[in-house]
Amino acid sequence: MSETDAAEPSAANTPALNPTQQRTLDALRRTGEPIIFDQDLITDIRNEVRAALDHFATRLDEGQELFVTKHRIGSVLDCEAHFLAPDEFEWTPATAKGQVAHRAIQLYLGWRGEPSPTELVDEAMSRLANEDRGIGLWIAELGEADLADVRGLSSERVTKFVESFPPLDRRANPVTEAAAQWPASGPILLRARVDMMIGKPAGAESRKVIIDLKTGRVSPRHRQDLGFYALVETLVRSVPPRKVATFYLDAAEAQVDDVSERLLRTAVRRTLDGIDAMVALAAQEREPIKRPGSSCRWCPLAESCAEGQAHLASFDRT
C-alpha cells in the first residue's frame, strides 16, 4: 500500500467486505486529484474569526469566559430562551449509550483480533467506571438491571457500527473522540470533539475525513454541526479536512460532503452569529428571543411558554 493510500479510509487485510461496508468505504475514500486549499483562504478565515472574537470579548465583563461548541451554537440559534433554561440533563441508560458505545468503538479500532460488540462494551463500561468523574461515577453505582440495560443499548449501537464500517487500516490514523480547541487561550474558546477522524497528515494536502455517528432521523443541523467541526480543524491545523460525513447507524448510510470554500465560509458565518447571540445574552444586552421549533418538545420552559405551546399544538394537528 502506498503512502497516499494509507492516508485514505481503507479496509485492512480481512475477509471480503459485506455490501454495506463496501458502500461506506466507497463513500468515504478519496476520488480525483489531491486537494490543497489556497493558504490565502486559510489566512483570511483565521483573521476574520480572530478579529470577531477580539470584538466579542470587548462586550464581556472582565473575567467572563465563553466556551463555544456545536451544541451551544445550535441551541442559541434555535431558541435563545431554551438556551438560557436550566440544564436538566441526567444520566440514564438511553443518554449513556452513546458515550459507552464511543469508548467501545475506540477500543475496537486498536483491538487485536475480532472482539464481539458485547466484549467491547463490557470493557468500555469497566474502564469508564474506574474514572472518578462524570458518567464513570454513575456507572459505578448502577444495579444489575440498569447495567444490563446500558450494556444492551450500547452493544446494539456498536454492532451496527461493526457491521457497517470496513475494518480500518491503522496507517490511516483512525481516532475517536478527537478533541480540538482554538485559540489556545482567551475569554472565548471554540471547542470540538469529533466522533471519528480518519486520515494521515501530509503537508498542506487535505486528507482527513471527519465523521459524526448518529441514530434516528436525518436533520439539517447535523450537516451544520459538521461545518463547525471542519472550521475548528481548519483554524487549528491550517489544513481543512477533505470530507465531512454523518453516518446514520440505524440506516447504515453515510451522508457525505466535500469540504469547500463555501462550506467553510458558511460555517464561519453561522459560528459568529451564534457567538454574537451568546455574548449578547451573557452581557444582558437584550432579552432572549424565542424561536419555536422542534426543541419545544423537550424544552423545560414549554409549559409556561405561549409561543412553544402554540407551536406544539400546530405540530400535533399536522
Side-chain angles (χ1 to χ4, degrees):
M1 178 176 291
S2 70
E3 196 67 20
T4 297
D5 292 336
E8 302 299 319
S10 55
N13 296 323
T14 58
L17 303 180
N18 66 45
T20 302
Q21 291 173 323
Q22 187 62 55
R23 186 171 66 244
T24 302
L25 180 61
D26 291 342
L28 297 178
R29 72 184 350 160
R30 191 184 74 194
T31 57
E33 295 298 316
I35 300 170
I36 299 178
F37 281 81
D38 188 337
Q39 281 301 306
D40 288 342
L41 168 65
I42 308 304
T43 299
D44 187 48
I45 288 174
R46 286 172 62 93
N47 289 342
E48 180 180 358
V49 178
R50 177 72 271 178
L53 296 190
D54 289 343
H55 167 70
F56 292 142
T58 65
R59 294 161 52 191
L60 295 172
D61 292 337
E62 185 175 355
Q64 201 170 12
E65 294 181 323
L66 191 64
F67 299 108
V68 181
T69 65
K70 68 167 189 177
H71 174 73
R72 286 174 61 80
I73 291 173
S75 179
V76 76
L77 292 177
D78 279 351
C79 177
E80 294 179 358
H82 188 182
F83 173 78
L84 292 177
D87 186 359
E88 297 183 352
F89 175 83
E90 60 180 19
W91 289 112
T92 67
T95 58
K97 67 179 180 181
Q99 191 159 338
V100 172
H102 284 175
R103 178 61 72 89
I105 291 169
Q106 187 177 40
L107 293 170
Y108 171 69
L109 293 177
W111 201 292
R112 297 185 182 276
E114 297 183 9
S116 71
T118 302
E119 287 179 295
L120 292 166
V121 168
D122 283 344
E123 183 63 28
M125 291 177 65
S126 175
R127 288 170 181 264
L128 287 169
N130 288 331
E131 296 178 4
D132 192 23
R133 57 188 174 84
I135 189 174
L137 294 173
W138 179 77
I139 290 176
E141 296 178 355
L142 289 180
E144 284 302 319
D146 283 334
L147 283 171
D149 201 4
V150 176
R151 184 179 296 111
L153 291 170
S154 304
S155 295
E156 188 250 5
R157 197 169 193 182
V158 176
T159 298
K160 288 177 178 177
F161 175 84
V162 171
E163 292 178 350
S164 303
F165 259 75
L168 297 172
D169 193 303
R170 292 177 185 172
R171 289 175 293 174
N173 288 7
V175 294
T176 60
E177 299 292 314
Q181 174 182 292
W182 192 87
S185 62
I188 304 176
L189 301 176
L190 279 59
R191 290 179 170 175
R193 186 175 292 275
V194 177
D195 286 349
M196 180 178 295
M197 189 178 293
I198 304 169
K200 184 177 181 179
E205 181 184 340
S206 290
R207 289 188 168 194
K208 291 185 178 180
V209 180
I210 290 175
I211 302 167
D212 216 11
L213 304 176
K214 296 291 185 184
T215 54
R217 68 175 70 185
V218 175
S219 168
R221 183 164 159 181
H222 297 160
R223 275 182 162 163
Q224 295 167 341
D225 290 343
L226 286 169
F228 176 75
Y229 284 155
L231 173 61
V232 174
E233 178 69 14
T234 301
L235 293 170
V236 171
R237 314 290 176 199
S238 294
V239 179
R242 63 177 180 84
K243 288 182 184 289
V244 291
T246 305
F247 191 86
Y248 294 94
L249 291 165
D250 294 343
E253 183 176 312
Q255 288 201 350
V256 183
D257 287 310
D258 292 326
V259 176
S260 62
E261 178 178 354
R262 180 179 180 181
L263 183 149
L264 293 172
R265 296 284 192 189
T266 299
V268 169
R269 293 267 47 90
R270 182 172 181 267
T271 299
L272 297 184
D273 286 347
I275 298 174
D276 183 41
M278 290 183 216
V279 170
L281 297 174
Q284 298 183 340
E285 295 173 352
R286 57 174 171 77
E287 291 297 313
I289 299 171
K290 294 181 179 180
R291 300 187 186 95
S294 59
S295 62
C296 292
R297 285 173 290 175
W298 55 83
C299 178
L301 305 177
E303 292 186 3
S304 59
C305 177
E307 294 87 347
Q309 286 296 315
H311 173 78
L312 291 173
S314 65
F315 183 82
D316 291 339
R317 290 195 297 268
T318 59

